[in-house]
């Protein structure tokens, strides 16, 4: 049992971990590339609890992206067990996974992935549309989510009218609007300058302190250091898993 | 259930944003559909128009009128059997009417003798040729639906006496008396002076079928004074119920054989004709229009459908990453399928609406330029073209939309 019980670095808050959200055991993933079979994951076991702030690190080809897709329920394992809040998602079909992604997971992408022709408000409303939330409720919740990331005055701006940092804030608002169990961020600062990157990481820190469970996938040590626990991958296996020092 | 409504409105919104963002591309894509819809609706208006124009003409002639004549209206190979049939005489109409009156529950109403000639009519310096001059009796008003604009039709006394009076069709009256009333003026046929006692209401013309406008009615006995008493006549018999024309025809044949004094086993020495024959003659014209129209429509819609399918494939390809994002946010297969189907259908519907507008404008232009040419726009055409547009959109959009809905979110998100 590994838990992030490291003492606070400086004045950093460490929240006590809650119940199990993700439980992975002996997960493998094979890809066929032509005649070649690639072992992206060779047997990974991992537990993530509520209130954790986890960084997944590893060089390219380490299986980092595959693990992230798995954690985000975008993909299913070839073998092994994957329970998400007690539900076995390893054998779910497409639409069931879509349901889990919609309700339990908030995605933040490196390239923001906002709809270019929709304003910030509509972008944030999107997960609520797929959740079947009635218009006035989703309008209200999207406005609130945008206000929470400091964009209450930018709701009707389109992505091309916003700076990179603002775009990523919209994406974060979108990820959080449906109150997911985890926030899953893939290289969230990869397309931002360092100053804006620091701002975004400060926002993540704030969200963590407010009680969100965050998983950041990154190859940058600086970014990983913001987390409370780091999982390092190499060649499809977990190399190390422990608190940030 | 509400979720699908939200997804539907979201899809509509995306579709129109997409079309707005790619205006030129959408218009070019819709072109095939536009042409197809114009073809199908123009064909529809033409067929409608022919039907309505014909119906009007038939109504004028009287749909429920049977024609007792020497020759049948269809072609005959054994013309010699018809050539020597005895002529009809005015007294036969009287005899027929007596039989009709004494037959209980007769399906026939009245028999009228009619003689017709083409000829020219003069009034002072003005003259009109090719007028159909019709001699008949006062009963004529009972078998036709002609409306008198001014004056009146001739009565029984004038009819029997063969008084020199006449009723003019509207275009005859206009040509002879331009800009002034024809009533109480005098016209001449073959040197005989006739007093104009009435003018018929304007009726319109259709595909050259004779209309009242180009007619002149006068008492049969007056006509004989100009054209001789040997002028051939025919009998027109009105049926009481136009839905029982076949039975009425049977009754008429029996009555006519009695009038003619024909023996059992003898072949009829007359023909009973009805306007159904005219209708049958129009069917090949309508078929040609329909076949040509369907061919053009089919071809245009086929090309249009390929265009829509192509553009939807392009749209799916361009927005692969967006599809991945939407799936990551919880869009299900159905949602993505619906989104691209609605986009394809929307382009088709816009094309369909544009096609309808073009057809409508064309119809108005035709009606304005050539009032005689029948075109008829209808609600059914609007419905048909909307259904055709939607069907085209669904058929052509389905394959790309299905492909999009099956995309693996991991692959789609990685797509650049």
């Amino acid at each position: 049992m590994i838990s992030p019980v490291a003492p606070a670095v400086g004045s950093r808050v460490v929240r006590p971990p809650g119940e199990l959200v993700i439980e992975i055991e002996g997960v493998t993933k094979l890809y066929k590339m032509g005649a070649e079979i690639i072992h992206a994951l060779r047997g990974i076991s991992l537990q993530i609890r509520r209130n954790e702030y986890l960084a997944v690190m590893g060089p390219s080809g380490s299986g980092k992206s595959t693990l992230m897709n798995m954690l985000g329920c975008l993909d299913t394992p070839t073998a092994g067990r994957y329970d998400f809040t007690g539900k076995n998602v390893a054998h779910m079909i497409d639409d069931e996974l879509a349901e889990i992604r919609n309700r339990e997971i908030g995605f933040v992408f490196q390239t923001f992935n906002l709809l270019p022709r929709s304003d910030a408000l509509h972008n944030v409303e999107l997960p609520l549309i797929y959740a079947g939330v009635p218009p006035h409720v989703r309008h209200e919740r999207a406005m609130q989510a945008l206000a929470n990331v400091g964009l209450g005055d930018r709701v009707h701006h389109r992505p091309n009218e916003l700076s990179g940092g603002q775009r990523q804030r919209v994406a974060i608002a979108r990820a959080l609007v449906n109150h997911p169990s985890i926030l899953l961020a893939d290289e969230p600062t990869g397309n931002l300058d360092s100053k804006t990157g620091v701002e975004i990481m400060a926002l993540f820190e704030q969200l963590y302190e407010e009680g969100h469970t965050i998983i950041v996938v990154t190859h940058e040590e600086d970014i990983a250091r913001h987390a409370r626990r780091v999982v390092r991958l190499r060649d499809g296996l977990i190399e190390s898993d422990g608190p940030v020092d | 259930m509400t979720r699908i409504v939200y997804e539907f409105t979201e899809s509509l919104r995306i579709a129109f944003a997409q079309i707005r963002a790619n205006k030129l591309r959408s218009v070019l894509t819709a072109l095939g559909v536009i042409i197809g819809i114009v073809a199908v609706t123009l064909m529809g208006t033409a067929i409608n128009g022919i039907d309505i124009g014909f119906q009007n003409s038939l109504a004028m002639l009287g749909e429920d009128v049977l024609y007792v004549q020497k020759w049948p209206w269809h072609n005959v190979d054994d013309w010699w059997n018809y050539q020597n049939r005895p002529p009809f005489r005015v007294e036969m109409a009287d005899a027929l009417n007596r039989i009709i009156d004494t037959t209980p529950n007769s399906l026939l109403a009245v028999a009228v003798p009619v003689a017709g000639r083409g000829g020219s009519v003069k009034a002072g310096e003005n003259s009109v040729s090719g007028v159909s001059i019709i001699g008949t009796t006062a009963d004529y008003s009972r078998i036709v639906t002609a409306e008198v604009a001014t004056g009146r039709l001739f009565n029984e006394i004038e009819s029997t006496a063969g008084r020199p009076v006449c009723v003019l069709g509207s275009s005859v009256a206009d040509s002879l008396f331009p800009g002034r009333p024809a009533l109480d003026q005098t016209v001449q046929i073959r040197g005989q002076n006739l007093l104009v006692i009435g003018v018929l209401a304007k009726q319109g013309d259709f595909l050259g079928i004779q209309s009242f406008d180009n007619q002149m009615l006068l008492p049969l006995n007056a006509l004989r004074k100009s054209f001789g008493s040997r002028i051939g006549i025919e009998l027109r018999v009105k049926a009481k119920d136009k839905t029982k024309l076949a039975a009425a025809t049977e009754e008429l044949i029996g009555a006519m054989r009695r009038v003619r004094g024909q023996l059992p086993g003898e072949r009829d020495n007359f023909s009973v004709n009805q306007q159904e024959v005219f209708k049958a003659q129009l069917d090949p014209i309508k078929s040609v229009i329909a076949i040509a129209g369907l061919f053009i429509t089919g071809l245009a819609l086929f090309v249009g459908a390929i265009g829509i399918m192509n553009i939807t494939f392009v749209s799916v390809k361009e927005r692969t990453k967006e599809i991945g994002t939407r799936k990551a946010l919880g869009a299900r297969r159905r949602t993505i399928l619906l989104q691209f189907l609605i986009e394809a259908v929307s382009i088709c519907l816009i094309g369909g609406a544009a096609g309808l507008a073009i057809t409508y404008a064309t119809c108005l232009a035709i009606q304005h330029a050539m009032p005689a040419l029948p075109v008829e726009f209808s609600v059914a055409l609007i419905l048909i073209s909307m259904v055709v547009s939607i069907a085209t959109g669904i058929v052509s959009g389905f394959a790309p939309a299905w492909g999009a809905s099956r995309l693996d979110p991991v692959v789609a998100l990685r797509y650049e």
Side-chain angles (χ1 to χ4, degrees), chain B residues 96-108 240 251 258:
Chain B
L96 260 184
N97 281 331
R98 276 196 297 279
I99 292 173
I100 291 167
D101 289 343
T102 53
T103 304
N105 301 325
S106 173
L107 290 168
L108 305 171
K240 280 182 180 146
E251 185 190 333
R258 276 172 66 191

Coordinates of all heavy atoms in Angstrom, one line a residue, chain B residues 96-108 240 251 258:
Chain B
L96 N -85.1 10.9 -78.6 CA -84.3 10.4 -77.4 C -84.9 11.0 -76.1 O -85.0 10.3 -75.1 CB -82.9 10.9 -77.6 CG -81.8 9.9 -78.1 CD1 -80.5 10.5 -78.1 CD2 -81.8 8.6 -77.3
N97 N -85.2 12.3 -76.2 CA -85.7 13.0 -75.0 C -87.0 12.3 -74.5 O -87.3 12.2 -73.3 CB -85.9 14.5 -75.2 CG -84.6 15.2 -75.1 OD1 -83.7 14.7 -74.4 ND2 -84.4 16.3 -75.9
R98 N -87.8 11.9 -75.5 CA -89.1 11.3 -75.1 C -88.8 9.9 -74.4 O -89.4 9.6 -73.3 CB -90.0 11.0 -76.3 CG -90.8 12.2 -76.7 CD -91.9 11.8 -77.7 NE -91.4 11.3 -79.0 CZ -91.0 12.1 -80.0 NH1 -91.1 13.4 -79.8 NH2 -90.6 11.6 -81.1
I99 N -87.9 9.2 -74.9 CA -87.5 7.9 -74.3 C -87.0 8.2 -72.9 O -87.3 7.5 -71.9 CB -86.5 7.2 -75.1 CG1 -87.1 6.7 -76.4 CG2 -85.9 6.0 -74.4 CD1 -86.2 6.1 -77.4
I100 N -86.1 9.2 -72.8 CA -85.5 9.5 -71.5 C -86.6 9.9 -70.5 O -86.6 9.4 -69.3 CB -84.5 10.7 -71.6 CG1 -83.2 10.2 -72.4 CG2 -84.1 11.2 -70.2 CD1 -82.3 11.4 -72.8
D101 N -87.5 10.7 -70.9 CA -88.6 11.1 -70.0 C -89.5 9.9 -69.5 O -90.0 10.0 -68.4 CB -89.5 12.1 -70.7 CG -88.7 13.5 -70.9 OD1 -87.7 13.6 -70.2 OD2 -89.2 14.3 -71.7
T102 N -89.6 8.9 -70.4 CA -90.5 7.8 -70.0 C -89.8 6.7 -69.4 O -90.4 5.7 -68.9 CB -91.3 7.3 -71.3 OG1 -90.3 7.0 -72.3 CG2 -92.3 8.3 -71.8
T103 N -88.5 6.7 -69.3 CA -87.7 5.7 -68.7 C -87.6 6.0 -67.2 O -87.2 7.0 -66.8 CB -86.3 5.6 -69.2 OG1 -86.4 5.4 -70.6 CG2 -85.5 4.4 -68.6
P104 N -88.1 5.0 -66.3 CA -88.0 5.3 -64.9 C -86.5 5.2 -64.5 O -85.8 4.4 -65.0 CB -88.8 4.2 -64.2 CG -89.0 3.1 -65.3 CD -88.8 3.8 -66.6
N105 N -86.1 6.1 -63.6 CA -84.8 6.2 -63.1 C -83.7 6.2 -64.2 O -82.7 5.6 -64.1 CB -84.4 5.0 -62.2 CG -85.4 4.9 -61.0 OD1 -85.8 5.9 -60.5 ND2 -85.7 3.7 -60.6
S106 N -84.0 7.0 -65.2 CA -83.0 7.1 -66.3 C -81.8 7.8 -65.8 O -81.8 8.7 -64.9 CB -83.6 8.0 -67.4 OG -82.7 8.2 -68.4
L107 N -80.6 7.3 -66.3 CA -79.4 7.9 -65.9 C -79.0 9.1 -66.8 O -78.0 9.7 -66.6 CB -78.2 6.8 -66.0 CG -78.3 5.7 -65.0 CD1 -77.3 4.6 -65.4 CD2 -77.9 6.3 -63.6
L108 N -79.9 9.3 -67.8 CA -79.7 10.4 -68.7 C -80.5 11.6 -68.4 O -81.7 11.4 -67.9 CB -79.9 9.9 -70.2 CG -79.1 8.7 -70.6 CD1 -79.6 8.1 -71.9 CD2 -77.6 8.9 -70.6
K240 N -76.9 12.1 -65.8 CA -77.2 12.7 -64.5 C -76.1 12.6 -63.5 O -75.9 13.5 -62.7 CB -78.5 12.0 -63.9 CG -79.8 12.5 -64.6 CD -81.0 11.8 -64.0 CE -82.3 12.3 -64.6 NZ -83.3 11.3 -64.7
E251 N -77.2 2.7 -71.4 CA -78.6 3.1 -71.5 C -78.8 3.9 -72.8 O -79.8 3.7 -73.6 CB -79.1 3.9 -70.3 CG -80.6 4.2 -70.4 CD -81.0 5.3 -69.3 OE1 -80.3 5.4 -68.3 OE2 -82.0 6.0 -69.6
R258 N -83.2 2.1 -80.4 CA -84.7 2.2 -80.6 C -85.0 3.3 -81.5 O -85.9 3.2 -82.4 CB -85.4 2.4 -79.2 CG -85.6 1.1 -78.4 CD -86.1 1.4 -77.1 NE -87.4 2.0 -77.0 CZ -88.0 2.6 -75.9 NH1 -87.3 2.6 -74.8 NH2 -89.2 3.1 -76.0

